């Protein structure tokens, strides 16, 4: 007699709860943080600003992937449209400048607030559906915004445009190193915030609703408001990443909202390990570095990346980060967690 | 004493198929009311209708005097209706404790708390531990639920149902898949609890049914053909006819 | 906007609708019966276009190129299904999204490798390059042909679904997947057939799109998005919904783009109209989709589930 029905899924079979972190994980995170912190130092010593640019770009997407992870990894909402929030954050920098708001801090606040409103509307409509319909609708909404921005001729149309002015942060405006460390700080804050969120009462409902929404209702909780909130939070984090992207490249373009970007974000989350907190960061680093290598090798790099993604799906079920050994919940020894 | 659960004229059709045909039920506090019947009689649909997962075509459902007929599942749960599932629906990726915490926190205000770990909220953890102790799962509270034995998972299922502190329990085949000694254990647990709740029990294991039930309703083709004490059910010719060839009623 | 021009745009809308129907009919079955989200459906459309262009270049026969596209896609789909996709049907949607996303990347890349990035052009055959006089305006017979083909396919699908045994299985599968499998029917070949049928229809759409749209890498994705909207509006798993949804989306999108900017110029200040017009025109169908979802999330013509 089988217990609960087992479904084949690439989601981590038994998720490590935030309250139990083995020494190995802490050490790895520490090393990762050290490497990330050292990048600008290395870049200036080696006299290679390109490294800083690439690393900043990786951090932008790491932040966006971290955002998506809240909805996708923990909430199980497969949103194929999160690129729209990345693009929205970027475009709002330009739009706010047109509206006379140049202060970086004010822009950031405005971006988060505006994104929250839009994400609530989009999320409310999308969450009226489940499964395949939900995925399709998120994709469609992203396309909606894509075409919307393409049609804005005064903002470059489908070519995009250069920023007339970067977000104003006083003397630090345009400072690449400051940008990098600000990104890193946001990344750390977002990661820690997710960590607390997931272990709190909100996180319990969200994670449960991914696994068995029927059960959540049966105990008396309406899952929808929690899922919508998670969706909006994840959108807000993506929008902040977009803000950084615009300032990093000095450019906004509808290409930021392409569905391929949404797809890449999902790859990053899954590659790193769905439902883990550091996973998306590892996944972003992994995917973007891989893309750099492939692009250098051949101009037909999508033909290589595509099958690699397929192999990842078929083979690497729990993501890179989950390959770290995690202890069983009620024993102290460190063993690979396996489903019975 | 007003019954805690009162069902009148409940009807459910699937196209031309009449699955629930005007069912009436009354269950008071402290009473275990079993619904039995041959396969396909509509027991699962009936439970789903009372629980709210299936919308009824006609009839009323009163929970502690309140009309919940048009209420959603989660609203009924908050009003005091607990349900355990025939196919275990605990959350396998959560620890045993987290499973019960989900239920405990559901009925203690809202859950828009984003910062403090649930496992470090004493009020919730103590409450959860109480229910775990009730079903004998306290020692394994930290284990991942998916790693429990089947019998333990059924117990966890029950603990989650009790943890929302309901007034009425809908138990959908709680003995399903349990071995002889586990069934004994579960029967004892249920006997111990019954005085606090009104219990609707759907169950195929006739020994358990006759050990637990204060009253029985026999459901055949969606209609209650007999309702009465276990001994009366045993004697009834109507019931025998309905069950002929289906299940053995213990003599 | 004169009545004649309006009618012309209406015909264009019908033509787009028919193309979308060809795309949506197969895909909605794949979604509804196989519970498989195939984002690479647009790639099948694209491959159909390229196959047709290739065949046309070799045989110079339009009819043969259509056949090549349809059969080619059918066979390709059977191979894909048997070799790779069968593993995905059991997996959750996240895995399916990722894997088919990977397929799109590969397909676009492969096409770029063999044919380059520059758009290909395919000429409609002479016998279809005429015009027909519609209300005093010349309307291309080719576009009428597309409408006719669409109607024929709709009729053919109706006969298949309602009159044949396979169709009965499809209908049963649409309303209760597990039951069909439990009845001992070999669900494996049925799903292969459904998938291949959808691919063949997409290939047909792509082949017919050749002469009126440019054939290039990535051409499949914009039409995929529209197809998804059609399916959402029509109801997953419902072919009737696919037809009606496709016509609605085709007409709304075409008329919207043609009529709305002009209408805005009538009503508002020219600078406002010029700025807002194109934006509203292109998002018309999305607003429609959102409205349908807000009011009826399961779609306008949903399949009744057991």
């Amino acid at each position: 007699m089988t217990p609960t029905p087992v479904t084949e899924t690439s989601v981590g079979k038994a998720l490590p709860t935030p309250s139990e972190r083995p020494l190995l994980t802490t050490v790895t995170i520490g090393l990762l943080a050290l490497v990330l912190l050292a990048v600008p130092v290395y870049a200036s010593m080696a006299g290679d600003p390109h490294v800083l640019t690439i690393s900043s770009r990786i951090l932008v997407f790491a932040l966006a992937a971290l955002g998506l992870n809240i909805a996708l990894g923990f909430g199980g909402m497969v949103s194929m449209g999160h690129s729209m929030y990345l693009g929205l954050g970027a475009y709002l920098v330009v739009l706010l400048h047109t509206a006379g708001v140049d202060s970086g801090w004010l822009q950031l606040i405005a971006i988060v607030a505006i994104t929250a409103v839009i994400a609530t509307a989009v999320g409310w409509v999308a969450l009226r559906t489940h499964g395949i319909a939900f995925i399709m609708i998120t994709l469609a909404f992203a396309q909606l915004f894509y075409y919307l921005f393409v049609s804005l001729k005064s903002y470059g149309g489908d070519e995009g445009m250069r920023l007339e002015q970067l977000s104003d942060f006083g003397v630090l405006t345009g400072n690449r190193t400051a940008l990098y460390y600000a990104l890193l700080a946001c990344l750390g804050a977002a990661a820690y915030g997710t960590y607390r969120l997931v272990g709190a009462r909100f996180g319990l409902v969200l994670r449960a609703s991914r696994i068995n929404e029927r059960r959540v209702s049966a105990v008396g909780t309406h899952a929808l408001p929690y899922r919508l909130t998670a969706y909006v939070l994840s959108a807000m984090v993506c929008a902040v990443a977009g803000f950084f992207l615009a300032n990093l490249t000095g450019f906004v373009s509808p290409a930021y909202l392409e569905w391929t970007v949404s797809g890449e974000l999902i790859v990053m989350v899954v590659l790193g390990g769905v439902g883990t907190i550091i996973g998306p960061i590892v996944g972003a680093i992994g995917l973007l570095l891989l893309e750099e290598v492939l692009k250098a090798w051949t101009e037909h790099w999508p033909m290589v990346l595509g099958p690699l993604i397929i192999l990842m799906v078929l083979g690497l079920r729990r993501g890179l980060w989950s390959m770290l050994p995690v202890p069983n919940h009620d024993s102290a020894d460190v063993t690979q967690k396996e489903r019975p | 004493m007003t019954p805690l659960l009162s069902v009148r004229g409940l009807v459910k059709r699937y196209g031309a198929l009449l699955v629930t045909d005007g069912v009436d039920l009354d269950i008071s506090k402290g009473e275990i009311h079993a619904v039995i019947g041959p396969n396909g009689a509509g027991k699962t649909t009936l439970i789903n209708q009372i629980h709210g997962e299936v919308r009824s075509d006609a009839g009323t459902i009163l929970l502690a005097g309140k009309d919940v007929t048009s209420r959603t599942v989660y609203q009924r749960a908050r009003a005091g209706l607990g349900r355990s599932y025939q196919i275990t629906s605990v959350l396998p990726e959560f620890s045993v404790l987290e499973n019960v915490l989900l239920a405990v926190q559901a009925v203690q205000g809202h859950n828009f708390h984003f910062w403090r770990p649930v496992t470090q909220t004493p009020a919730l953890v103590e409450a959860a531990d109480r229910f775990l102790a009730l079903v004998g799962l306290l020692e394994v509270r930290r284990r991942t639920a998916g790693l429990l034995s089947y019998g333990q998972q059924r117990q966890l299922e029950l603990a989650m149902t009790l943890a929302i502190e309901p007034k009425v329990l809908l138990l959908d085949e709680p003995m399903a898949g349990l071995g002889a000694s586990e069934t004994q254990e579960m029967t004892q647990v249920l006997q111990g609890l019954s005085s606090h709740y009104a219990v609707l029990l759907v169950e195929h294991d006739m020994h358990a049914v006759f050990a637990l039930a204060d009253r029985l309703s026999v459901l055949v083709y969606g209609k209650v053909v007999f309702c009465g004490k276990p001994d009366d059910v045993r004697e009834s010719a109507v019931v025998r006819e309905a069950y002929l060839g289906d299940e053995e009623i213990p003599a | 906007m004169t009545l004649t021009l309006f009618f012309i745009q209406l015909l264009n809308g019908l033509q787009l609708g028919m193309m979308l129907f060809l795309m949506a009919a197969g895909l909605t079955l794949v979604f509804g019966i196989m519970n498989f989200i195939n984002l690479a459906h647009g790639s099948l459309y694209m491959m159909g276009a390229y196959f047709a262009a290739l065949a046309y270049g070799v045989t110079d026969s339009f009819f043969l190129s259509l056949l090549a596209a349809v059969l080619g896609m059918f066979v390709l789909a059977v191979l894909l299904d048997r070799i790779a996709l069968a593993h995905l049907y059991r997996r959750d949607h996240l895995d399916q999204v990722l894997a088919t996303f990977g397929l799109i990347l590969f397909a676009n890349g492969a096409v770029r490798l063999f044919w380059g990035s520059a758009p290909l052009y395919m000429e409609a055959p002479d016998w279809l390059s005429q015009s027909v006089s519609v209300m005093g305006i010349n309307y291309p017979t080719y576009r009428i042909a597309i409408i006719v083909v669409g109607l024929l396919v709709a009729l053919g699908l109706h006969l298949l679904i309602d009159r044949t045994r396979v169709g009965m299985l499809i209908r049963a599968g649409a309303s209760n997947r597990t039951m069909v499998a439990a009845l001992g029917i070999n669900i494996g070949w049925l799903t292969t057939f459904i998938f291949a049928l959808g691919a063949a229809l997409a290939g047909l759409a792509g082949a017919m799109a050749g002469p009126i749209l440019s054939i290039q890498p990535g051409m499949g994705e914009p039409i995929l998005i529209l197809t998804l909207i059609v399916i959402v509006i029509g109801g997953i798993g419902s072919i009737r919904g696919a037809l009606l949804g496709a016509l609605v989306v085709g007409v709304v999108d075409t008329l919207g783009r043609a009529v709305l900017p002009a209408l805005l110029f009538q009503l508002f200040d020219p600078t406002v109209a010029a700025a807002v017009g194109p934006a509203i025109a292109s998002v018309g169908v999305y607003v429609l989709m959102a409205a349908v979802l807000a009011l009826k999330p399961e779609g306008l013509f949903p399949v009744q589930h057991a």
Side-chain angles (χ1 to χ4, degrees):
Chain A
M1 191 52 91
T2 43
T4 48
V6 178
T7 50
E8 291 217 27
T9 170
S10 65
V11 177
K13 296 287 169 69
L15 301 175
T17 57
S19 53
E20 295 180 55
R21 288 237 159 260
L23 186 62
L24 186 59
T25 312
T26 319
V27 166
T28 315
I29 296 178
L31 280 174
L32 185 64
L34 272 175
V35 168
L36 290 176
L37 279 167
V39 165
V41 177
Y42 167 79
S44 79
M45 287 206 306
D48 188 359
H50 194 50
V51 170
L52 190 59
T53 310
I54 296 186
S55 305
S56 301
R57 192 162 170 274
I58 291 180
L59 288 188
V60 163
F61 283 94
L63 184 60
L66 208 60
L68 176 61
N69 191 36
I70 298 174
L72 172 63
F74 294 106
M77 295 175 261
V78 183
S79 167
M80 195 58 188
H82 260 57
S83 63
M84 78 184 246
Y85 298 115
L86 184 71
L88 190 63
Y91 266 93
L92 278 172
V93 172
V94 179
L95 292 169
L96 286 167
H97 164 71
T98 312
V101 180
D102 282 316
S103 150
W105 295 108
L106 279 178
Q107 282 185 348
L108 207 49
I109 295 174
I111 287 173
V112 169
I114 296 172
T115 304
V117 171
I118 294 178
T120 305
V122 171
W124 183 82
V125 174
L127 284 169
R128 286 172 75 70
T129 63
H130 291 89
I132 293 180
F134 177 80
I135 301 173
M136 292 198 285
I137 287 142
T138 52
L139 178 56
F141 271 114
Q143 282 300 105
L144 165 78
F145 277 86
Y146 173 80
Y147 286 125
L148 206 64
F149 285 119
V150 163
S151 71
L152 290 180
K153 294 286 179 265
S154 47
Y155 291 97
D158 60 352
E159 301 263 307
M161 68 178 263
R162 297 218 124 269
L163 258 59
E164 279 167 11
Q165 178 164 354
L166 295 176
S167 304
D168 188 358
F169 283 100
V171 303
L172 292 175
T173 308
N175 183 320
R176 286 305 178 91
T177 311
L179 179 77
Y180 179 89
Y181 280 120
L183 257 174
L184 197 56
C186 281
L187 198 64
Y192 187 66
T194 307
Y195 169 76
R196 295 303 294 230
L197 185 116
V198 160
R201 287 174 73 167
F202 178 86
L204 201 65
V205 175
L206 181 67
R207 288 161 51 210
S209 73
R210 177 184 67 79
I211 301 169
N212 191 339
E213 203 173 321
R214 238 178 136 201
R215 229 316 155 207
V216 174
S217 298
V219 300
T221 305
H222 189 198
L224 181 62
Y226 297 90
R227 292 168 71 75
L228 181 58
T229 306
Y231 180 83
V232 172
L233 285 173
S234 81
M236 284 158 57
V237 174
C238 276
V240 171
F243 166 82
F244 280 110
L245 183 61
N247 277 291
L248 174 68
T249 58
F251 198 78
V252 292
S253 151
Y256 295 167
L257 294 103
E258 273 174 5
W259 63 275
T260 41
V261 176
S262 294
E264 284 180 307
L265 285 175
I266 299 182
V267 173
M268 290 176 203
V269 171
V270 174
L271 178 63
V274 178
T276 65
I277 294 163
I278 303 295
I281 302 178
V282 172
I285 297 175
L287 180 65
L288 289 174
L289 285 181
L290 176 67
E291 281 184 1
E292 289 296 311
V293 168
L294 290 178
K295 279 177 190 170
W297 177 37
T298 166
E299 60 168 310
H300 299 290
W301 60 273
M303 276 190 81
V304 183
L305 183 60
L308 282 178
I309 294 176
I310 297 174
L311 280 175
M312 175 190 83
V313 168
L314 293 177
L316 188 69
R317 305 275 287 281
R318 283 158 54 202
L320 294 172
W321 184 248
S322 307
M323 283 168 86
L324 272 188
V326 180
N328 201 328
H329 267 272
D330 69 335
S331 67
D333 53 21
V334 176
T335 50
Q336 196 74 18
K337 223 176 222 173
E338 276 302 305
R339 246 288 167 95
Chain B
M1 180 169 60
T2 35
L4 281 179
L5 178 68
S6 195
V7 171
R8 286 284 173 279
L10 216 56
V11 174
K12 182 65 193 174
R13 275 184 200 90
Y14 284 109
L17 189 64
L18 188 62
V19 181
T20 306
D21 191 0
V23 170
D24 295 339
L25 272 178
D26 281 311
I27 312 181
S28 309
K29 182 172 177 179
E31 177 187 344
I32 299 185
H33 191 125
V35 173
I36 61 176
N39 283 321
K43 303 192 290 292
T44 312
T45 308
L46 181 64
I47 276 215
N48 285 334
Q49 281 177 270
I50 300 175
H51 188 216
E53 285 184 354
V54 167
R55 179 165 273 146
S56 303
D57 293 319
T60 38
I61 302 166
L62 292 171
L63 189 66
K66 226 184 347 168
D67 189 341
V68 295
T69 321
S70 54
R71 297 245 168 275
T72 61
V73 172
Y74 70 88
Q75 287 168 330
R76 295 185 200 196
R78 294 215 138 189
L81 186 63
R83 185 244 175 102
S84 78
Y85 289 89
Q86 177 189 348
I87 299 177
T88 315
S89 70
V90 300
L91 305 163
E93 287 145 10
F94 281 17
S95 69
V96 168
L97 180 63
E98 281 178 312
N99 268 282
V100 184
L101 279 171
L102 180 71
V104 166
Q105 73 172 30
V107 292
Q108 290 204 23
H110 68 83
N111 291 305
F112 284 98
H113 299 278
F114 300 93
W115 196 253
R116 195 197 205 177
V118 192
T119 46
Q120 287 167 30
T121 315
L124 296 177
V125 175
E126 274 159 25
D129 281 341
R130 256 190 296 121
F131 291 105
L132 284 175
L134 214 77
V135 295
L137 289 176
L138 201 53
E139 314 88 61
V140 294
R141 64 203 281 278
R142 291 227 156 263
R143 190 169 300 170
T144 312
L147 299 175
L148 292 178
S149 75
Y150 179 75
Q152 287 173 316
Q153 285 184 353
R154 298 300 284 159
Q155 285 167 312
L156 180 57
E157 176 88 26
L158 183 64
M160 285 177 81
T161 312
L162 297 174
I164 66 172
E165 307 200 47
K167 305 187 182 81
V168 176
L169 286 179
L170 303 175
L171 301 179
D172 193 356
E173 303 205 28
M175 315 296 177
L178 293 181
S181 62
E182 288 167 326
T183 307
Q184 276 276 59
E185 260 183 76
M186 184 66 90
T187 308
Q188 277 167 358
V189 171
L190 292 178
Q191 275 168 338
L193 303 168
S194 61
S195 54
H196 306 285
Y197 311 96
V199 179
L200 177 69
L201 174 70
V202 167
E203 186 47 68
H204 276 292
D205 184 333
M206 285 299 142
H207 290 280
V209 167
F210 278 86
L212 287 165
D214 299 307
R215 278 204 298 162
L216 288 170
S217 283
V218 183
L219 197 68
V220 181
Y221 291 130
K223 242 185 157 56
V224 176
V225 300
F226 194 94
C227 178
K229 297 217 180 56
D231 287 332
D232 297 334
V233 168
R234 255 193 274 255
E235 309 294 310
S236 160
V238 174
V239 175
R240 279 204 183 279
E241 193 189 311
Y243 263 94
L244 208 61
D246 261 86
E247 277 156 71
E248 279 292 306
I249 303 181
Chain C
M1 157 120 337
T2 66
L3 192 63
T4 317
L5 284 172
F6 177 83
F7 194 67
I8 296 291
Q9 290 303 335
L10 192 64
L11 278 176
N12 284 345
L14 281 179
Q15 176 245 304
L16 175 61
M18 282 304 163
M19 295 274 278
L20 289 176
F21 169 65
L22 290 175
M23 293 290 286
L27 195 56
T28 198
L29 288 181
V30 169
F31 284 3
I33 298 176
M34 296 158 64
N35 201 18
F36 175 58
I37 177 159
N38 179 21
L39 292 179
H41 197 70
S43 300
L44 294 168
Y45 165 86
M46 175 182 73
M47 303 290 311
Y50 274 97
F51 269 36
L54 192 64
Y56 199 49
V58 168
T59 67
D60 226 17
S61 158
F62 186 66
F63 184 69
L64 279 182
S65 353
L66 285 189
L67 203 63
V70 170
L71 287 178
M73 285 301 107
F74 190 91
V75 170
L76 181 66
V78 171
L79 287 174
L80 256 179
D81 172 275
R82 291 277 122 180
I83 296 174
L85 296 178
H87 298 288
L88 286 175
Y89 297 154
R90 298 188 313 260
R91 306 286 286 264
D92 67 359
H93 292 143
L94 178 59
D95 289 351
Q96 293 172 355
V97 163
L98 281 173
T100 52
F101 174 65
L103 263 179
I104 298 177
L105 290 181
F106 178 76
N108 283 339
V111 147
R112 199 169 275 124
L113 180 68
F114 287 115
W115 282 283
S117 301
L120 284 187
Y121 294 100
M122 196 170 135
E123 298 278 320
D126 289 330
W127 60 277
L128 279 176
S129 294
Q130 323 289 335
S131 319
V132 149
S133 188
V134 171
M135 292 178 79
I137 299 270
N138 288 329
Y139 193 73
T141 43
Y142 188 75
R143 290 181 181 253
I144 305 238
I146 293 181
I147 299 178
V148 170
V149 169
L151 290 170
L152 285 174
V153 170
L155 183 66
L157 279 176
H158 168 75
L159 290 173
L160 175 74
I161 302 277
D162 285 343
R163 301 289 170 86
T164 66
R165 193 160 175 274
V166 174
M168 181 197 70
L169 291 174
I170 290 178
R171 270 181 290 133
S175 79
N176 195 332
R177 200 181 316 128
T178 33
M179 184 60 80
V180 175
L183 288 173
I185 290 153
N186 188 345
I187 202 87
W189 76 255
L190 180 66
T191 55
T192 305
F193 175 71
I194 292 171
F195 184 70
L197 176 66
L201 289 175
L204 178 62
M208 291 201 304
I212 46 174
L213 301 170
S214 60
I215 303 175
Q216 59 194 351
M219 69 187 274
E221 280 62 69
I223 201 149
L224 172 74
I225 310 278
L226 277 181
T227 308
L228 297 182
I229 296 180
V230 166
I231 294 178
V232 166
I233 291 178
I236 295 182
S238 163
I239 295 202
R240 199 167 32 121
L243 180 60
L244 291 159
L247 290 174
V248 168
V249 169
V251 168
V252 166
D253 190 58
T254 311
L255 279 181
R257 285 171 199 279
V259 166
L260 266 175
L263 196 67
L264 284 170
F265 270 106
Q266 302 274 10
L267 293 176
F268 295 107
D269 178 68
T271 38
V272 173
V276 170
I280 295 194
S282 59
V283 305
V285 281
Y286 296 96
V287 174
L288 177 66
M289 177 193 76
V292 170
L293 279 176
L295 299 170
K296 222 186 169 215
E298 53 311 347
L300 295 176
F301 306 97
V303 176
Q304 299 297 334
H305 284 281

